[in-house]
Amino acid sequence: MLNGIAAAAIAVWTASAAFCAADLRRPDARLREWALYAGYLALALSVGLAIGVARADSPDALLAVDGVLVVLSVLIGVGLLVVRRSTSLSAMGILVAPASAALLGLFVSLNQSALQPPRHPGAMLTAHIGAATLGLALFGLASFLSALYLLQERQLKKRSFGPLFQRLPSVSELDRLTFRLTIGGFIVYTFALGLGILWAFHIGETGLLVRIYLAIGAWVVFAFVLQTRITTGWRGRQAAWLTILGTAVACAVLALYLVA
Amino acid sequence: MNRNLLITGLSHRSAPVEMRERLGVLDVDREGALSTLQDGEVIDEVAIISTCNRVEVVCAGNDADRMQVRLHQSLEQLAGVNAHWMQRYTRSFRDEEAIRHLFRVSSSLDSLVIGEPQILGQVKEAFATWKSLGGTSTLLNRTFSHAFRTAKRVRNETQIAENAVSVSYAAVELARKVFGELKGRRVLVVGAGKMGSLAAVHLREAGANRIDIVNRSLDRARELATQLDAAAYSFEELDARMAEADIVITSTGSQNYIINRDRLKGVMARRKYRPLFLVDIAVPRDIDPRCDQLGNVYLFDVDDLERVVEANKEARLVEAERAEQIVGHEVLEHQRWIASAEAVPTIVSLRQKLTELKDAEVERLLRSNQKLDPEALAAAEKLATQLVNKILHEPTISLREAAADDSPQLVRAARRLFKLDEEDATAALPPTKPRKA
């Protein structure tokens, strides 16, 4: 049942991505409408899946890695619908929709029972996982915007004034949105990291050290991006690349849980 | 009998400007032109579209061949040209092609710059003028209205009017791709050239709120600043002004670069690396092209702006294909309306016949019941009117649809069935309004 809902959500996210791609290739208001409706439907299915996961076992099931994947897909889906007002739905959709579909695909491949949620997680672990998931979603959206920034900046520098150039938002808008999302993600992620370290020491689990170092590495990257931006105004290509790098490192922490 | 549409005239596609001027006389003495063209016999509706790129006479009548001959004769007389000239420079469109041409012109598909926005306003103005003079009636009124609806659809459903197709607007478009909204942006014009100030004016129209001018001659800078409602500065303040500006337009006559990479590096640090959009429209160039390698610096020269214009023109051509499909659909719709209008005389006769029957019956009722209560009489008359309307509703729709589908059998059957006066069928459309004196 849950796999069926996930498969339906993957199919609708894929359709939404296809409409976005077609609109980028040849702008058409109807395609954008279809992409948006497909996005709403896919998001509704993902929310339904998250509720299904919680009800099948217990709400704690959402704290297991597969549950986190579903919540993450919901969060970046919501993020897409929020940021589409300030940027291009099609440009963001072509990145977010496949990412959401991939997260759900990973959920299906894990086959639910393979991963057990932590027993009696407690408030600290719940807050840690919740904040880390939200932070990762915000960093993910920021890195998608950074990718669009790099693409649009390249179009400007290479003088490629084709349809993609016309459809992508301005570099300043992309930069501004990335900055805001990075700040939001950084605050939440700092909270998650602090709780995570405290929890690891609390249970005396030394096997988590690599993950902690990686998470601190991601935190340092984002701290550097934000600190230089605020103090010297540093921004642009390098900042965009570092945002993507930071997100990749943060994702690696989640990947380690999967591998473990 | 069918009503015909005819458009005869010349445009940038068929005649050079000196020839287009010859027919321009039609728009000078409009009343004289109207009295010559609208004879009430062959041509009963006239409107003239006159812009810098076209002069075209749109007319309606009942015989296309006679209209064409008559129109050519009248134009030769009014413009003082001969038949050879007319044949060489003018183009004519009839019925479906005339509708298509008017719809294409209104939608800016026949313009010199495809998608330019002015033409729709010009056609609307021409129509309003000739309508007020009494030149137009049912057919042209409906055809022009439909042309305006088509143009609106084309504008809303395609991207034909989007993106700049002139060099100075290309700078605005590129600035939008760097900053998004231009509201509140500061523009710095370096040099007092015409192109630079024109681009600055466009940027202000797009939302930029402050213009600074830096020039080697401060007097000339002040002169230009007064014209543009801007602030003037000496050349020594260039770095300070650049540190504050978002958009810099250079158009000096300098033979060397006035902004080089090192100078701009310093400026970028002063402005905390906020994006800087530079447009160098000077030849030889004012800004070292290597400046574009700096982060958050977006430098474009005249050739780049030309490239934007070319790319946009190509994009408009692609959109024009979609617009042509919309026009094709609307032309079919309009033809259906014209065809359905051929049922109008039959519908009018039918309604008239039933109304006369109703009136006669009410009259008979009144005669036979002298003491009838006035209220009861009014109720009876109202009932009879409602009955007539209800009886006619479905046949009216069916007759219109049959005419639109080019099936005159039903119209003929209705005329036979109700023994309608055959003379009414000769006019396909409602009679032309009397012309204003």
Side-chain angles (χ1 to χ4, degrees), chain B residues 245-259:
Chain B
D246 298 297
I247 299 162
V248 178
I249 303 163
T250 63
S251 62
T252 75
S254 171
Q255 294 301 307
N256 303 311
Y257 295 138
I258 55 166
I259 300 171

PDB file of all heavy atoms in Angstrom, chain B residues 245-259:
ATOM      1  N   ALA B 245      26.781  52.976  -7.728  1.00  0.00           N
ATOM      2  CA  ALA B 245      25.820  52.650  -8.800  1.00  0.00           C
ATOM      3  C   ALA B 245      25.589  51.142  -8.918  1.00  0.00           C
ATOM      4  O   ALA B 245      26.379  50.335  -8.435  1.00  0.00           O
ATOM      5  CB  ALA B 245      26.357  53.183 -10.124  1.00  0.00           C
ATOM      6  N   ASP B 246      24.474  50.786  -9.531  1.00  0.00           N
ATOM      7  CA  ASP B 246      24.203  49.379  -9.858  1.00  0.00           C
ATOM      8  C   ASP B 246      24.450  49.132 -11.344  1.00  0.00           C
ATOM      9  O   ASP B 246      24.837  48.048 -11.747  1.00  0.00           O
ATOM     10  CB  ASP B 246      22.747  49.026  -9.538  1.00  0.00           C
ATOM     11  CG  ASP B 246      22.442  49.189  -8.063  1.00  0.00           C
ATOM     12  OD1 ASP B 246      23.055  48.470  -7.269  1.00  0.00           O
ATOM     13  OD2 ASP B 246      21.608  50.051  -7.711  1.00  0.00           O
ATOM     14  N   ILE B 247      24.156  50.166 -12.127  1.00  0.00           N
ATOM     15  CA  ILE B 247      24.261  50.035 -13.581  1.00  0.00           C
ATOM     16  C   ILE B 247      25.151  51.173 -14.097  1.00  0.00           C
ATOM     17  O   ILE B 247      24.914  52.337 -13.755  1.00  0.00           O
ATOM     18  CB  ILE B 247      22.866  50.129 -14.234  1.00  0.00           C
ATOM     19  CG1 ILE B 247      21.969  48.998 -13.719  1.00  0.00           C
ATOM     20  CG2 ILE B 247      22.956  50.100 -15.765  1.00  0.00           C
ATOM     21  CD1 ILE B 247      20.492  49.228 -13.933  1.00  0.00           C
ATOM     22  N   VAL B 248      26.159  50.837 -14.890  1.00  0.00           N
ATOM     23  CA  VAL B 248      27.048  51.864 -15.450  1.00  0.00           C
ATOM     24  C   VAL B 248      26.985  51.786 -16.973  1.00  0.00           C
ATOM     25  O   VAL B 248      27.168  50.706 -17.550  1.00  0.00           O
ATOM     26  CB  VAL B 248      28.509  51.652 -14.977  1.00  0.00           C
ATOM     27  CG1 VAL B 248      29.435  52.682 -15.606  1.00  0.00           C
ATOM     28  CG2 VAL B 248      28.602  51.717 -13.461  1.00  0.00           C
ATOM     29  N   ILE B 249      26.692  52.916 -17.593  1.00  0.00           N
ATOM     30  CA  ILE B 249      26.651  52.956 -19.056  1.00  0.00           C
ATOM     31  C   ILE B 249      27.754  53.896 -19.518  1.00  0.00           C
ATOM     32  O   ILE B 249      27.781  55.065 -19.108  1.00  0.00           O
ATOM     33  CB  ILE B 249      25.290  53.481 -19.560  1.00  0.00           C
ATOM     34  CG1 ILE B 249      24.154  52.614 -19.009  1.00  0.00           C
ATOM     35  CG2 ILE B 249      25.234  53.503 -21.081  1.00  0.00           C
ATOM     36  CD1 ILE B 249      22.805  53.288 -19.104  1.00  0.00           C
ATOM     37  N   THR B 250      28.661  53.405 -20.339  1.00  0.00           N
ATOM     38  CA  THR B 250      29.744  54.275 -20.797  1.00  0.00           C
ATOM     39  C   THR B 250      29.600  54.548 -22.291  1.00  0.00           C
ATOM     40  O   THR B 250      29.327  53.635 -23.073  1.00  0.00           O
ATOM     41  CB  THR B 250      31.124  53.637 -20.546  1.00  0.00           C
ATOM     42  OG1 THR B 250      31.204  52.435 -21.306  1.00  0.00           O
ATOM     43  CG2 THR B 250      31.345  53.322 -19.085  1.00  0.00           C
ATOM     44  N   SER B 251      29.769  55.802 -22.647  1.00  0.00           N
ATOM     45  CA  SER B 251      29.728  56.157 -24.073  1.00  0.00           C
ATOM     46  C   SER B 251      30.577  57.406 -24.295  1.00  0.00           C
ATOM     47  O   SER B 251      30.090  58.418 -24.781  1.00  0.00           O
ATOM     48  CB  SER B 251      28.289  56.387 -24.540  1.00  0.00           C
ATOM     49  OG  SER B 251      27.717  57.459 -23.849  1.00  0.00           O
ATOM     50  N   THR B 252      31.844  57.328 -23.925  1.00  0.00           N
ATOM     51  CA  THR B 252      32.727  58.483 -24.120  1.00  0.00           C
ATOM     52  C   THR B 252      33.449  58.349 -25.471  1.00  0.00           C
ATOM     53  O   THR B 252      33.397  57.299 -26.114  1.00  0.00           O
ATOM     54  CB  THR B 252      33.799  58.570 -23.003  1.00  0.00           C
ATOM     55  OG1 THR B 252      34.787  57.571 -23.243  1.00  0.00           O
ATOM     56  CG2 THR B 252      33.203  58.392 -21.626  1.00  0.00           C
ATOM     57  N   GLY B 253      34.121  59.390 -25.850  1.00  0.00           N
ATOM     58  CA  GLY B 253      34.882  59.355 -27.101  1.00  0.00           C
ATOM     59  C   GLY B 253      36.342  58.996 -26.851  1.00  0.00           C
ATOM     60  O   GLY B 253      37.195  59.192 -27.726  1.00  0.00           O
ATOM     61  N   SER B 254      36.640  58.476 -25.690  1.00  0.00           N
ATOM     62  CA  SER B 254      38.032  58.180 -25.320  1.00  0.00           C
ATOM     63  C   SER B 254      38.630  57.099 -26.232  1.00  0.00           C
ATOM     64  O   SER B 254      37.949  56.147 -26.608  1.00  0.00           O
ATOM     65  CB  SER B 254      38.069  57.713 -23.862  1.00  0.00           C
ATOM     66  OG  SER B 254      39.346  57.225 -23.563  1.00  0.00           O
ATOM     67  N   GLN B 255      39.923  57.274 -26.550  1.00  0.00           N
ATOM     68  CA  GLN B 255      40.614  56.297 -27.400  1.00  0.00           C
ATOM     69  C   GLN B 255      41.200  55.154 -26.573  1.00  0.00           C
ATOM     70  O   GLN B 255      41.626  54.151 -27.124  1.00  0.00           O
ATOM     71  CB  GLN B 255      41.734  56.980 -28.197  1.00  0.00           C
ATOM     72  CG  GLN B 255      41.235  58.001 -29.213  1.00  0.00           C
ATOM     73  CD  GLN B 255      40.295  57.388 -30.250  1.00  0.00           C
ATOM     74  OE1 GLN B 255      40.633  56.395 -30.896  1.00  0.00           O
ATOM     75  NE2 GLN B 255      39.104  57.969 -30.409  1.00  0.00           N
ATOM     76  N   ASN B 256      41.252  55.322 -25.234  1.00  0.00           N
ATOM     77  CA  ASN B 256      41.797  54.281 -24.347  1.00  0.00           C
ATOM     78  C   ASN B 256      40.706  53.825 -23.378  1.00  0.00           C
ATOM     79  O   ASN B 256      39.695  54.503 -23.207  1.00  0.00           O
ATOM     80  CB  ASN B 256      42.975  54.832 -23.540  1.00  0.00           C
ATOM     81  CG  ASN B 256      44.057  55.360 -24.458  1.00  0.00           C
ATOM     82  OD1 ASN B 256      44.468  54.687 -25.392  1.00  0.00           O
ATOM     83  ND2 ASN B 256      44.472  56.603 -24.215  1.00  0.00           N
ATOM     84  N   TYR B 257      41.001  52.675 -22.727  1.00  0.00           N
ATOM     85  CA  TYR B 257      40.060  52.205 -21.709  1.00  0.00           C
ATOM     86  C   TYR B 257      40.036  53.201 -20.567  1.00  0.00           C
ATOM     87  O   TYR B 257      41.084  53.582 -20.053  1.00  0.00           O
ATOM     88  CB  TYR B 257      40.490  50.844 -21.163  1.00  0.00           C
ATOM     89  CG  TYR B 257      40.458  49.730 -22.178  1.00  0.00           C
ATOM     90  CD1 TYR B 257      41.486  48.784 -22.229  1.00  0.00           C
ATOM     91  CD2 TYR B 257      39.401  49.599 -23.070  1.00  0.00           C
ATOM     92  CE1 TYR B 257      41.453  47.742 -23.152  1.00  0.00           C
ATOM     93  CE2 TYR B 257      39.368  48.568 -23.989  1.00  0.00           C
ATOM     94  CZ  TYR B 257      40.394  47.645 -24.034  1.00  0.00           C
ATOM     95  OH  TYR B 257      40.360  46.626 -24.939  1.00  0.00           O
ATOM     96  N   ILE B 258      38.861  53.599 -20.142  1.00  0.00           N
ATOM     97  CA  ILE B 258      38.793  54.479 -18.962  1.00  0.00           C
ATOM     98  C   ILE B 258      38.545  53.656 -17.695  1.00  0.00           C
ATOM     99  O   ILE B 258      38.768  54.117 -16.593  1.00  0.00           O
ATOM    100  CB  ILE B 258      37.704  55.567 -19.105  1.00  0.00           C
ATOM    101  CG1 ILE B 258      36.335  54.936 -19.398  1.00  0.00           C
ATOM    102  CG2 ILE B 258      38.066  56.584 -20.163  1.00  0.00           C
ATOM    103  CD1 ILE B 258      35.197  55.910 -19.225  1.00  0.00           C
ATOM    104  N   ILE B 259      38.063  52.422 -17.870  1.00  0.00           N
ATOM    105  CA  ILE B 259      37.898  51.518 -16.715  1.00  0.00           C
ATOM    106  C   ILE B 259      38.662  50.235 -17.034  1.00  0.00           C
ATOM    107  O   ILE B 259      38.318  49.530 -17.994  1.00  0.00           O
ATOM    108  CB  ILE B 259      36.411  51.197 -16.457  1.00  0.00           C
ATOM    109  CG1 ILE B 259      35.624  52.487 -16.177  1.00  0.00           C
ATOM    110  CG2 ILE B 259      36.260  50.211 -15.301  1.00  0.00           C
ATOM    111  CD1 ILE B 259      34.121  52.317 -16.114  1.00  0.00           C
TER     112      ILE B 259
END
